[in-house]
Amino acid sequence: MPITDVFVALADPRQTNKVQHSLAETLTVAVCGILVGADTFEEIQAWA
């Protein structure tokens, strides 16, 4: 099962007109960043 599929069922509480990326995509990038050793939002952003 792709990691993105795990997050697809989550409800997205964000305002849809202010969203550039889906919640599933954002969480997938965050998890992958953590798996490669990123410890902060800045490190996850730099990795992504």
Side-chain angles (χ1 to χ4, degrees):
M1 169 186 292
I3 210 169
T4 307
D5 290 351
V6 175
F7 300 120
V8 170
L10 295 176
D12 191 347
R14 301 174 299 168
Q15 296 177 3
T16 55
N17 60 337
K18 296 182 179 181
V19 174
Q20 291 184 349
H21 303 284
S22 75
L23 182 62
E25 291 172 350
T26 303
L27 293 174
T28 300
V29 168
V31 168
C32 291
I34 291 167
L35 289 174
V36 299
D39 292 324
T40 65
F41 292 120
E42 291 80 13
E43 290 177 353
I44 292 170
Q45 181 182 12
W47 172 80

